[in-house]
Amino acid sequence: MMESVKGIPLLEALPGKTLDSRIRQGEIMIKTFRKGQLLHTEGERCRALEVILSGRVVVERITREGNLMTIAAFQRGDCIGGNLLFSSDPVYHLAVTAKQTSQVMVIPRETLFDLMQENPGFLTRYLQEVADNAQVLEGKLRYVVNLSIRQRVLNFLNAEQRRQGSRRVILPSSKTALAAQLGVQRSSLSRELQRMREEGLILFDRHSITLL
C-alpha cells in the first residue's frame, strides 16, 4: 500500500500506520474501475473523498453540437469529490467515468473528518487541494468561455507547462480529446495548431506540444 501512496502529497500527509489500520478495519477502501465504467452518475450524492492511485478518470458532457466535451480529467494523485463533500448540496451534477482501468482510494466523509481532526497537517493539505482545484476550474473557464481557439490553446499550454514543469507539454490523450476539452472542433484545432506552427509559436507532434 505504501508504494501506491508514494508521491501523492495528500496521502503522504498521513502516517502510514494510520492508513493501513483504517484500510484493515474497512474504514478506507481501495476500488478498481474498468475502462468505461461509471464511478458516479449525474444526481448521485457525494459521500466520500476519492484519490486516484492509478489510471485516468474524466468528467464529460455532450455539447449542443453533439460533441463530447471533457470538463475535467483526473489522474494519479488527483482527488474527486473534495470540492463537493462538505458543501450544502453534495451532489454530482455530471457523470464521472474511468477512461482507463483505474484504482481509487475511497475515504468516506466521516472517516475523512476524523483524519482531519487527528492530523492537522493532513487538514492543511486537504484545504490546499480544494483551493488548487478551484484555480484549475477557473483556468478552464477562461479558455472555454468567449475566447478564440488560439487563446484557449495558449491558456491550456501555459497551465500545463506550470503543472508538468516543462516547456514540452505531454498531451493527456489524443488531439480529438484535447479539442473536446477545449470545446472546439477537431478540424478547427488542427488548423489553428498548423497556423501557430507556421508562425513559429509552437512545435507539435502526436503526443506533445512545445510552446516556443
Side-chain angles (χ1 to χ4, degrees), residues 146-194:
N146 298 324
L147 293 178
S148 66
I149 297 177
R150 176 166 299 191
Q151 193 58 57
R152 296 182 196 196
V153 171
L154 290 173
N155 286 350
F156 169 80
L157 292 176
N158 285 323
E160 285 299 303
Q161 279 186 331
R162 290 193 297 271
R163 190 179 72 83
Q164 297 184 22
S166 170
R167 294 180 65 187
R168 181 172 180 258
V169 171
I170 304 301
L171 299 177
S173 51
S174 65
K175 286 193 177 67
T176 299
L178 176 59
Q181 184 172 342
L182 297 179
V184 301
Q185 295 287 340
R186 170 71 169 82
S187 57
S188 299
L189 176 62
S190 295
R191 286 194 295 270
E192 187 58 41
L193 290 177
Q194 185 62 40

Side-chain angles (χ1 to χ4, degrees), residues 189-206:
L189 176 62
S190 295
R191 286 194 295 270
E192 187 58 41
L193 290 177
Q194 185 62 40
R195 281 194 289 265
M196 292 173 72
R197 179 162 62 183
E198 291 170 355
E199 294 173 24
L201 298 176
I202 62 170
L203 296 173
F204 67 86
D205 54 37
R206 289 182 60 188

Side-chain angles (χ1 to χ4, degrees), residues 2 5-19 49 51 105 107 112 115-129:
M2 293 312 297
V5 167
K6 281 184 179 178
I8 299 179
L10 178 64
L11 299 181
E12 286 187 331
L14 287 170
K17 291 182 179 179
T18 297
L19 274 178
L49 174 72
V51 185
M105 177 179 287
I107 309 176
L112 181 65
L115 292 173
M116 290 174 175
Q117 289 181 307
E118 297 167 5
N119 303 273
F122 176 71
L123 172 59
T124 300
R125 187 68 212 188
Y126 176 85
L127 294 174
Q128 183 178 343
E129 290 280 344

Side-chain angles (χ1 to χ4, degrees), residues 45-154:
R45 192 171 183 83
C46 177
R47 303 181 186 277
L49 174 72
E50 296 171 343
V51 185
I52 309 299
L53 301 179
S54 65
R56 187 165 184 265
V57 172
V58 296
V59 177
E60 297 174 322
R61 73 172 179 87
I62 303 295
T63 67
R64 278 182 285 184
E65 293 77 20
N67 299 314
L68 189 63
M69 178 179 179
T70 300
I71 304 299
F74 304 93
Q75 51 197 357
R76 175 175 164 78
D78 290 335
C79 297
I80 302 172
N83 294 356
L84 282 177
L85 197 54
F86 294 102
S87 73
S88 59
D89 182 31
V91 171
Y92 288 99
H93 296 288
L94 292 168
V96 184
T97 309
K99 203 69 173 176
Q100 55 188 239
T101 299
S102 303
Q103 193 175 53
V104 178
M105 177 179 287
V106 181
I107 309 176
R109 186 180 188 275
E110 295 76 13
T111 301
L112 181 65
F113 193 68
D114 288 343
L115 292 173
M116 290 174 175
Q117 289 181 307
E118 297 167 5
N119 303 273
F122 176 71
L123 172 59
T124 300
R125 187 68 212 188
Y126 176 85
L127 294 174
Q128 183 178 343
E129 290 280 344
V130 171
D132 288 347
N133 286 341
Q135 287 185 329
V136 170
L137 178 59
E138 181 184 351
K140 285 182 179 294
L141 289 174
R142 285 198 196 104
Y143 63 69
V144 168
V145 180
N146 298 324
L147 293 178
S148 66
I149 297 177
R150 176 166 299 191
Q151 193 58 57
R152 296 182 196 196
V153 171
L154 290 173

Side-chain angles (χ1 to χ4, degrees), residues 37-49:
Q37 185 176 354
L38 274 173
L39 279 73
H40 301 289
T41 58
E42 184 177 347
E44 180 182 341
R45 192 171 183 83
C46 177
R47 303 181 186 277
L49 174 72

